[in-house]
């Protein structure tokens, strides 16, 4: 149960800016996790969550490892020009690239230190990203799609 709750917390903080433990508690309860403020406090400590400053000037919870704006700027170009598709199956993400570009994209992915990524392996046009759980694979895929959509719009 704790692992599922931790995965849900990471999913929540990666998908929105959560400012308080009370806000996190409400979202977890909405998702079916009965938790106390003390449990959330322990989870935050165990997950080593930090507070980051948003563009709106407010502090929100973060893993501290998600792709920073600077990292997205540096790697977004190679992603937009090289990636054809991103899909996950169970806890593995398959990133299809243009021929010869997988190693460069894989290096960029590794440099971003994604939460929940165990490791990567690339060939000529395909990358496999091994994630700790199926939930982390889903989050990784969503974040990659966000980067691609930002760069392609």
């Amino acid at each position: 149960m704790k692992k599922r709750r931790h995965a849900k917390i990471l999913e929540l903080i990666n998908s929105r800016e959560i400012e308080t433990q009370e806000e996190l508690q409400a979202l977890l309860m909405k998702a079916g996790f009965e938790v106390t403020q003390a449990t959330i406090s322990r989870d935050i400590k165990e997950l080593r969550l930090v507070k980051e400053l948003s563009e709106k000037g407010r502090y929100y919870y973060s893993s501290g490892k998600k792709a920073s704006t600077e990292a997205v700027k540096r790697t977004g170009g190679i992603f937009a020009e090289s990636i054809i598709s991103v899909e996950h199956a169970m806890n593995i993400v398959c990133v299809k690239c243009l021929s010869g570009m997988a190693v460069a994209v894989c290096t960029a992915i590794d440099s971003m230190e994604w939460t929940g990524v165990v490791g990567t392996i690339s060939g000529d046009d395909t990358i496999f990203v091994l994630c700790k759980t199926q939930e982390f694979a889903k989050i990784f895929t969503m974040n990659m799609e966000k980067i691609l959509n930002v760069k392609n719009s």
Side-chain angles (χ1 to χ4, degrees):
M1 183 65 154
K2 183 177 184 179
K3 286 183 181 183
R4 284 186 28 234
R5 187 176 67 245
H6 281 190
K8 187 63 176 179
I9 289 170
L10 291 171
E11 176 190 349
L12 289 168
I13 67 166
N14 283 324
S15 64
R16 62 185 76 194
E17 293 182 357
I18 299 173
E19 297 178 27
T20 65
Q21 289 184 11
E22 292 78 17
E23 185 180 353
L24 181 57
Q25 181 180 21
L27 291 167
L28 285 169
M29 291 181 121
K30 194 174 184 180
F33 293 91
E34 291 293 324
V35 291
T36 65
Q37 186 276 327
T39 299
I40 290 175
S41 184
R42 278 191 300 276
D43 288 343
I44 288 170
K45 186 178 272 187
E46 288 173 14
L47 291 169
R48 296 184 173 150
L49 301 182
V50 296
K51 288 255 186 153
E52 287 188 16
L53 186 61
S54 73
E55 292 176 5
K56 299 173 189 169
R58 295 187 174 136
Y59 286 93
Y60 64 96
Y61 285 105
S62 167
S63 64
K65 294 183 179 178
K66 69 180 176 182
S68 69
T69 305
E70 183 61 30
V72 170
K73 285 179 186 173
R74 281 187 282 127
T75 58
I78 190 135
F79 289 167
E81 294 177 20
S82 305
I83 295 176
I84 297 169
S85 66
V86 180
E87 291 184 67
H88 72 278
M90 301 299 286
N91 66 320
I92 298 173
V93 180
C94 179
V95 181
K96 290 288 195 172
C97 302
L98 295 173
S99 184
M101 296 303 297
V103 173
V105 172
C106 191
T107 301
I109 289 170
D110 289 340
S111 74
M112 296 176 83
E113 298 180 6
W114 296 86
T115 299
V117 171
V118 176
T120 58
I121 187 166
S122 69
D124 184 58
D125 64 355
T126 305
I127 301 166
F128 287 121
V129 181
L130 179 63
C131 297
K132 288 181 182 177
T133 66
Q134 186 172 350
E135 197 62 37
F136 281 124
K138 181 180 172 185
I139 292 166
F140 178 88
T141 302
M142 289 184 333
N143 286 332
M144 285 297 291
E145 289 170 346
K146 283 181 194 173
I147 291 170
L148 291 172
N149 287 336
V150 166
K151 284 302 190 180
N152 292 329
S153 51

